Amino acid sequence: MDRAKVGLLIDYYARGAITLTSVSLEERQPGMKYFGGRTGLHSAFIFPLSGRAKMWFDGTGYDMEPGMVVHAGPDMAFDRKVIGEEKWVYILVLYQVKHWELADACDYAGQHYGLHLVEQSARLQEKLRQLERYWNSPGDLYKLRVKELWYGILNELFSLVLYRAQDEGRLLLERLLDYIHNHYMENLSMNRLAEMHQINVNRLAYLFQKHLKISPGEYLNRYRLNQAKNLLNIVHSQLSIKEVAQRTGFSDPLYFSKRFKKYTGLSPSEFQRDS
């Protein structure tokens, strides 16, 4: 899930009045399977603590293991099975949320979605176990503690998701740069670069602007021009300007010469002569 979607979720839950209806520690034995069920009347967060399982909500599958949190809406078709030889243990939080000022907003409480964490957070797990203990403790004071702790859990959860989204952006940018560095001499367009990495062009531009403060097209051109400088700087180079242009991904030598002079202040021939 990208940062923009996480931001919408944070705004949705910050503005709504959340009422927890159940908090429970659940265990499912190895080999357990359950198909053809439906979720109940309330929305749910499922926090895996240990073991592995697979769950499907309205036909969409989720890998239920530590480091993954899944949300499900009310009255959804769901199936599940435990994977492996270990018990699957999780915290199930059922809730309702009311919005007065967001009547026309997207109803995230009625949807299913998965949240990948940056890591399996021991602190988050401890807060969840504490929430389950408070929920089952008598006395009005614990009701306030439950509410306070739950908002702290949501804050911790979305912070971990945001950190992961940020890290994933950096990793994706590194893959994009590696590809450019290895294929700059080819007919490489931004549409092709985005398509090959299964993102849209807007996402591509965002990553370059956020981390490098430059457009992807300009980065590609500068990298090509730096490679051209290296070729022209070779002692006693016998390469023609046309050959240098072709070897660095410029199909038009005239366009290459214009870009090179704008970038270095010298024409390719002047740069080659002065090297």
Side-chain angles (χ1 to χ4, degrees):
M1 183 177 291
D2 61 30
R3 293 178 63 88
K5 178 66 175 294
V6 178
L8 292 174
L9 285 174
I10 292 172
D11 183 68
Y12 178 83
Y13 288 109
R15 290 171 178 261
I18 302 174
T19 301
L20 299 189
T21 58
S22 177
V23 180
S24 58
L25 177 65
E26 305 285 340
E27 294 185 358
R28 298 293 180 264
Q29 298 301 317
M32 187 281 299
K33 298 180 180 179
Y34 181 79
F35 297 99
R38 298 197 71 83
T39 58
L41 298 176
H42 301 152
S43 304
F45 278 101
I46 304 162
F47 297 88
L49 301 180
S50 63
R52 295 178 59 225
K54 186 83 173 183
M55 294 191 78
W56 294 264
F57 295 99
D58 285 344
T60 299
Y62 296 94
D63 294 320
M64 310 296 295
E65 56 189 1
M68 178 73 170
V69 176
V70 171
H71 180 276
D75 194 29
M76 289 182 172
F78 89 96
D79 307 298
R80 67 187 176 195
K81 67 176 181 180
V82 178
I83 300 171
E85 302 302 320
E86 184 182 357
K87 284 193 303 185
W88 177 45
V89 183
Y90 61 98
I91 296 284
L92 176 65
V93 178
L94 302 180
Y95 74 95
Q96 293 177 304
V97 60
K98 291 184 179 180
H99 278 284
W100 292 276
E101 56 186 273
L102 297 178
D104 297 327
C106 182
D107 179 23
Y108 291 111
Q111 299 181 8
H112 59 78
Y113 53 84
L115 297 169
H116 293 272
L117 311 186
V118 68
E119 60 184 6
Q120 181 180 341
S121 172
R123 185 168 68 173
L124 179 61
Q125 287 202 4
E126 176 55 33
K127 286 184 177 181
L128 287 164
R129 291 183 182 275
Q130 190 176 28
L131 179 71
E132 191 266 338
R133 291 195 299 269
Y134 284 175
W135 180 263
N136 291 301
S137 299
D140 292 337
L141 182 60
Y142 284 103
K143 294 179 183 179
L144 290 175
R145 290 183 176 178
V146 163
K147 181 172 292 190
E148 177 186 20
L149 187 56
W150 173 242
Y151 279 102
I153 287 170
L154 285 181
N155 182 68
E156 179 88 4
L157 170 62
F158 289 128
S159 294
L160 289 168
V161 175
L162 284 173
Y163 287 141
R164 177 184 171 90
Q166 186 174 10
D167 287 346
E168 285 184 337
R170 289 199 195 98
L171 291 173
L172 176 56
L173 179 63
E174 288 178 8
R175 292 197 296 270
L176 291 165
L177 294 178
D178 284 343
Y179 191 87
I180 288 174
H181 298 166
N182 291 318
H183 299 272
Y184 67 90
M185 71 293 296
E186 302 174 6
N187 182 21
L188 184 59
S189 69
M190 295 305 101
N191 284 331
R192 179 187 170 198
L193 185 63
E195 182 179 350
M196 294 189 68
H197 290 81
Q198 299 181 331
I199 59 175
N200 60 44
V201 176
N202 290 335
R203 172 69 170 161
L204 177 70
Y206 170 80
L207 288 172
F208 274 79
Q209 288 290 349
K210 176 178 174 59
H211 296 285
L212 301 177
K213 311 303 181 186
I214 191 174
S215 72
E218 185 61 24
Y219 181 91
L220 174 60
N221 272 320
R222 290 186 185 182
Y223 190 82
R224 284 171 165 170
L225 292 168
N226 282 328
Q227 297 306 307
K229 286 170 62 179
N230 292 336
L231 290 176
L232 292 168
N233 202 30
I234 297 174
V235 178
H236 306 307
S237 172
Q238 299 300 312
L239 294 175
S240 68
I241 303 305
K242 181 178 181 180
E243 288 174 320
V244 171
Q246 290 174 341
R247 289 193 182 193
T248 53
F250 292 96
S251 58
D252 183 350
L254 180 59
Y255 175 75
F256 163 67
S257 296
K258 289 181 178 179
R259 288 303 303 252
F260 191 91
K261 185 168 186 178
K262 183 177 181 180
Y263 184 57
T264 67
L266 298 172
S267 69
S269 58
E270 289 171 336
F271 186 91
Q272 189 177 42
R273 185 173 58 248
D274 293 345
S275 298

